[in-house]
Amino acid sequence: MALVFDAKVALFDCLKAAVPVGVQCTFAETGKSDRRQQVWLGATGDEELAAVAMRQGPRKPTAVTSYVDVHGLVITPGDPIGAERAVYGLRDAIAEACRSVVPASVPGLLDVRPESSETETAESTDGAYAALTVRVRIRGRIT
C-alpha cells in the first residue's frame, strides 16, 4: 500500500533530523559496520486490513495497520556500558522521530508510534557493541 510506504518515507525524513550528529541514517541496511553509530529502516511487516464501515460500491473505508522495524547500532572500543547508553539515546531519537511525523503529510495516515524495543549488548573483536530494534506501528485509513 502506498500509505505504508509514504509513512515509512516520512518517518525516514524525521529520523534524519532527529538522530544526533555523527550517526549514519540510511533507508536500508548498508551491510557495512564501518560507522560507530548507525540507524536504518528494516523490514516492513504485513499490513492488517479491516473494513471500518459498510457502504455501497467497490471501495470500502479500510483501517490499515503495519509495522516497520528501525534498527540502531553503536560500536565503542572496550566500553559496553557506553555502547548501551548510546543506543538508548538512539531509541529516544527514534521515538522523537515518530512523534515528529505529521499525519497530514501522508494522505490517510492516523499515527506513527514506537510499540516495542529490544536491545542487545555484546563484545566482539571490533569492540563492544549494542544493537537496537524498535518496532514502529503505522496506522491509517484508506477508502
Side-chain angles (χ1 to χ4, degrees):
M1 297 227 148
L3 167 70
V4 174
F5 176 75
D6 291 344
K8 191 174 174 180
V9 170
L11 174 61
F12 177 66
D13 290 339
C14 290
L15 271 173
K16 289 188 298 185
V19 296
V21 174
V23 176
Q24 180 184 31
C25 185
T26 57
F27 193 78
E29 184 176 12
T30 62
K32 301 176 188 175
S33 60
D34 57 345
R35 297 296 291 257
R36 294 281 182 205
Q37 295 188 28
Q38 36 188 330
V39 172
W40 68 93
L41 298 178
T44 303
D46 289 336
E47 298 165 353
E48 298 170 12
L49 305 173
V52 292
M54 297 304 292
R55 69 175 188 202
Q56 289 183 331
R59 297 179 65 109
K60 311 283 188 238
T62 304
V64 177
T65 303
S66 188
Y67 299 89
V68 63
D69 291 335
V70 181
H71 300 281
L73 178 67
V74 175
I75 299 171
T76 56
D79 186 9
I81 294 172
E84 190 161 340
R85 181 176 287 124
V87 89
Y88 281 115
L90 292 180
R91 184 183 70 175
D92 292 343
I94 292 166
E96 179 60 33
C98 291
R99 287 189 293 271
S100 298
V101 174
V102 178
S105 67
V106 177
L109 182 63
L110 296 176
D111 74 348
V112 175
R113 67 179 59 198
E115 187 165 272
S116 64
S117 69
E118 184 177 314
T119 303
E120 175 188 349
T121 305
E123 291 194 60
S124 70
T125 56
D126 294 332
Y129 78 90
L132 167 72
T133 300
V134 177
R135 174 151 279 196
V136 175
R137 183 180 69 192
I138 298 170
R139 288 185 328 117
R141 183 175 171 150
I142 58 171
T143 54

